[in-house]
């Protein structure tokens, strides 16, 4: 039986980091994968993409390209990441209602489910050879990866937090390898002066994941390096080794970590680090390690069903969209997404040619809180809850109407 053909559309940067390779490997069991890496979305590149004929097109983090693919008669698996589009307006999702969504974030899945989209959810836990944690907890040893210093998660922030602890670490490792568009906040030589009570080591890049993991095992406290995550590979790798995990109380870290039970969640950047006895940190880390192992087992048991849903969708009848998008339109849409978000939303609305009455309603909803607030208010504020549910139902009716 021939494998299902698949176009895997991803960010050019992931070709270097290999952060999407795990998913490509999983799909390769049943699919013939052709990889397309984009750093820009030119009309020429998009036209070449749409001229291909695959059974399914996977928009990995590039969910804004889904309407273009759907409009041109393609089946689309959208794999969004919370750190990319977790806070997007609901119209961003509803216009792709004929796609299949694979959510690695429970928050995203709740959003998509409330909007009536075809979505499946899986928390991913990477495979690990560590069966028993061998992390040493004789003294505290911190590992900090400065990925997004502009967000406030910087070396200086870490130094301030550690200065306020009674139980100081004996070793601090600073991995100074910022994300694209970010810059290290400090020179390695200058960083050492910020931690006079500890041995300070630095790195800028690991030649392999194995080298990264070997480095991790010499430490016992890991600071999640970003305010929000897509999946959270770095803290999952540390969790799977038995390190104590600490970070901000935002997705996806707060979907894997229970505060005080399997790790520590900080309310904000201003929150103090927990000044706990080392044996307490060790106990919490042990629970986190057990939680990771249970999560990996759950993943292995549930992934075949998830994959089958993807394969079934890849062979389902193609739904013809009522709107049209050319490669030139998609180039403009991608520009708006990154540079002019209100115009991006307006373009999506205009694809449906709403009536004047609908346009008034939509113009008000553009000011609706972003999807992150939609998730929060469903369970906290009854007034906002009723308003957001009303707005969501209106959008669902609007996008599900017949043409």
């Amino acid at each position: 039986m021939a494998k299902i053909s698949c176009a895997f559309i991803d960010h050019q940067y992931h070709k270097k980091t290999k952060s999407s390779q795990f998913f490509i490997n999983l799909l390769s069991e049943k699919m013939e994968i052709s990889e397309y890496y984009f750093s820009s979305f030119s009309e020429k590149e998009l036209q070449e993409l749409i001229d291909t004929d695959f059974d399914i097109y996977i928009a990995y983090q590039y969910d804004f390209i889904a309407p273009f693919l759907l409009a041109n008669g393609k089946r689309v698996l959208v794999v969004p990441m919370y750190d990319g589009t977790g806070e997007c307006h609901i119209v961003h999702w509803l216009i792709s209602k004929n796609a299949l969504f694979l959510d690695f974030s429970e928050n995203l899945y709740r959003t998509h489910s409330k909007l009536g989209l075809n979505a499946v959810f899986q928390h991913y836990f990477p495979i690990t050879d560590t069966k028993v944690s061998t992390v040493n907890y004789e003294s505290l040893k911190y590992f900090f990866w400065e990925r997004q210093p502009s967000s406030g998660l910087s070396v200086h922030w870490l130094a301030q937090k550690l200065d306020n602890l009674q139980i100081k670490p004996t070793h601090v490792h600073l991995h100074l390898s910022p994300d694209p568009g970010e810059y290290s906040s400090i020179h390695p030589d200058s960083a050492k002066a910020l931690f006079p009570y500890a041995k300070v080591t630095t790195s800028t890049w690991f030649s392999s994941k194995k080298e990264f993991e070997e480095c991790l095992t010499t430490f016992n406290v890991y600071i999640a390096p970003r305010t929000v995550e897509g999946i959270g590979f770095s803290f999952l790798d540390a969790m799977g080794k038995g390190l104590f995990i600490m970070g901000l109380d935002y997705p996806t870290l707060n979907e894997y970590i229970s505060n005080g039970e399997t790790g520590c969640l900080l309310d904000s950047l201003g929150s103090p680090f927990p000044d706990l006895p080392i044996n307490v940190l060790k106990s919490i880390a042990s629970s986190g390690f057990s939680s990771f192992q249970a999560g990996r087992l759950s993943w292995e048991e549930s992934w075949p069903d998830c994959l089958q849903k993807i394969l079934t969708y890849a062979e389902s009848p193609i739904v013809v969209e009522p709107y049209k998008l050319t490669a030139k339109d998609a180039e403009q849409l991608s520009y708006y997404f990154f540079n002019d978000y209100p115009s991006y939303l307006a373009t999506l609305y205009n694809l449906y040619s709403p009536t004047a009455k609908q346009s008034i309603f939509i113009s008000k909803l553009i000011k609706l809180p972003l999807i992150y607030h939609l998730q929060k208010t469903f369970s906290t504020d009854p007034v906002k809850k009723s308003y957001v549910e009303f707005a969501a139902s209106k959008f669902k009716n609007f996008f599900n109407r017949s043409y």
Side-chain angles (χ1 to χ4, degrees), residues 31 34 159 161 165 190 218 227 258 265 285 333 375 379 385:
M31 293 184 177
S34 295
K161 298 301 178 187
L165 293 179
S190 301
T218 62
T227 53
S258 295
L265 297 174
L333 191 65
Q375 297 159 353
S379 59
K385 174 183 175 181

Side-chain angles (χ1 to χ4, degrees), residues 74-276:
K74 309 297 185 183
R75 300 182 193 87
V76 183
L77 173 65
V78 179
V79 187
M81 295 293 164
Y82 194 93
D83 61 335
T85 49
E87 299 183 11
C88 272
H89 200 282
I90 52 180
V91 70
H92 172 83
W93 306 118
L94 288 171
I95 198 168
S96 299
K97 64 185 179 67
N98 288 319
L100 174 64
F101 290 82
L102 173 58
D103 295 321
F104 288 111
S105 162
E106 187 176 2
N107 282 271
L108 274 176
Y109 179 67
R110 285 202 301 265
T111 296
H112 295 155
S113 296
K114 289 180 186 298
L115 296 175
L117 301 177
N118 185 13
V120 291
F121 164 64
Q122 291 272 226
H123 262 156
Y124 180 69
F125 289 82
I127 191 168
T128 176
D129 294 330
T130 305
K131 303 303 180 184
V132 178
S133 176
T134 57
V135 173
N136 187 304
Y137 278 88
E138 291 181 2
S139 64
L140 294 182
K141 299 178 181 181
Y142 279 69
F143 184 102
F144 177 67
W145 181 355
E146 189 185 61
R147 292 188 63 178
Q148 295 182 331
S150 66
S151 72
L153 290 168
S154 67
V155 172
H156 291 88
W157 170 82
L158 176 66
Q160 182 184 45
K161 298 301 178 187
L162 296 183
D163 281 344
N164 293 327
L165 293 179
Q166 288 187 345
I167 305 176
K168 295 285 198 295
T170 60
H171 189 174
V172 175
H173 184 83
L174 305 173
H175 184 49
L176 305 176
S177 180
D179 288 350
E182 294 273 355
Y183 299 92
S184 294
S185 65
I186 195 168
H187 189 276
D189 293 338
S190 301
K192 296 179 181 180
L194 296 177
F195 310 93
Y197 42 79
K199 174 184 177 181
V200 178
T201 52
T202 63
S203 56
T204 56
W205 192 254
F206 293 104
S207 60
S208 65
K209 184 177 180 181
K210 181 180 179 181
E211 184 183 357
F212 169 67
E213 291 178 344
E214 287 176 349
C215 180
L216 276 182
T217 57
T218 62
F219 299 89
N220 50 33
V221 178
Y222 185 87
I223 310 299
R226 306 175 73 197
T227 53
V228 293
E229 288 285 0
I231 294 178
F233 285 104
S234 67
F235 74 74
L236 285 172
D237 285 335
M239 191 178 179
K241 296 294 182 185
L243 277 72
F244 178 86
I245 309 300
M246 179 162 47
L248 293 175
D249 188 7
Y250 294 108
T252 57
L253 183 65
N254 62 7
E255 298 178 14
Y256 287 91
I257 295 293
S258 295
N259 189 36
E261 296 179 8
T262 57
C264 174
L265 297 174
L266 304 174
D267 290 334
S268 68
L269 287 169
S271 300
F273 282 7
D275 210 350
L276 300 173

